[in-house]
Amino acid sequence: MRVATARSSLSSYTIRKTPRAFKSHKILKEKLQVMWRSNPKAWVTRKFFVEWVNLVFGPSVKKYLQEKNLPWQALLILDNAPAHPPNLEDNILEEFKFIKVLYLSPNTTPILQPMDQQVISNFKKLYTKHLFRRCFELTETTNLTLREFWKDLCNIAICLKIIDQA
């Protein structure tokens, strides 16, 4: 899972097949707060990444800049991951051409890895906080046991909503 880190509530990007929880709860992937795509290896591909930039990242940045009355300038910094196409600026839709792409030099990922770890750590803390808050609220106000909560009320659809809150 790749999560864009900006406080403008950018959606995360998930690569999985349609889970049973979606089918049993009649959840449409198009209505989720995340962009859901399937890939046999569960990897983000270049095609998926370009799609995410044009359908999620670009509109989110544009909306953020409009709301804050900021100049139409944005910088997307990418490492050399296989999913990041070297010519991404050529694939960005015309309305998002204000987004410039900067590629980090090869072999800089180990130097920057501690920054990634802090972002991931903060996300995990927020997710766990929201998950347990929901658990406590439901088990205190109902007759549910903790086991029943985990078995019946904690599925992928609920977890995606919690991700959106985190």
Side-chain angles (χ1 to χ4, degrees):
M1 179 172 73
R2 308 278 297 170
V3 178
T5 55
R7 288 312 302 158
S8 61
S9 72
L10 294 175
S11 297
S12 59
Y13 196 105
T14 306
I15 308 290
R16 297 271 187 257
K17 290 189 178 195
T18 304
R20 285 184 295 245
F22 284 16
K23 294 172 186 168
S24 62
H25 289 88
K26 296 181 175 85
I27 295 170
L28 298 174
K29 291 187 284 187
E30 297 78 26
K31 302 281 184 185
L32 294 173
Q33 296 294 325
V34 297
M35 185 176 189
W36 196 279
R37 296 293 181 266
S38 177
N39 177 337
K41 292 185 177 183
W43 282 49
V44 175
T45 64
R46 287 183 178 185
K47 177 184 172 215
F48 289 162
F49 186 75
V50 170
E51 189 178 354
W52 176 81
V53 167
N54 286 314
L55 297 178
V56 178
F57 182 75
S60 297
V61 171
K62 186 175 181 179
K63 180 181 175 191
Y64 179 82
L65 294 174
Q66 283 176 330
E67 288 173 354
K68 302 292 182 184
N69 291 323
L70 294 170
W72 290 90
Q73 298 175 336
L75 179 63
L76 177 59
I77 302 173
L78 300 174
D79 61 10
N80 59 348
H84 301 156
N87 58 344
L88 180 61
E89 284 187 344
D90 297 340
N91 295 313
I92 293 177
L93 295 176
E94 193 62 40
E95 65 182 299
F96 307 124
K97 290 294 185 184
F98 63 89
I99 298 172
K100 300 298 172 206
V101 180
L102 174 71
Y103 293 91
L104 296 173
S105 301
N107 303 321
T108 58
T109 303
I111 298 166
L112 302 173
Q113 196 67 37
M115 290 178 10
D116 284 344
Q117 290 173 353
Q118 188 61 47
V119 170
I120 293 167
S121 174
N122 288 342
F123 173 77
K124 286 181 179 180
K125 287 175 188 171
L126 287 169
Y127 176 82
T128 304
K129 175 183 166 184
H130 287 286
L131 178 65
F132 280 107
R133 180 182 294 147
R134 179 173 172 76
C135 174
F136 294 140
E137 287 171 357
L138 287 173
T139 55
E140 283 181 358
T141 59
T142 65
N143 291 331
L144 280 177
T145 65
L146 189 56
R147 172 176 256 167
E148 291 168 330
F149 169 80
W150 289 118
K151 186 177 177 224
D152 300 332
L153 296 174
C154 193
N155 58 48
I156 190 121
I158 298 298
C159 292
L160 286 172
K161 289 178 183 173
I162 295 170
I163 287 172
D164 191 45
Q165 293 171 348

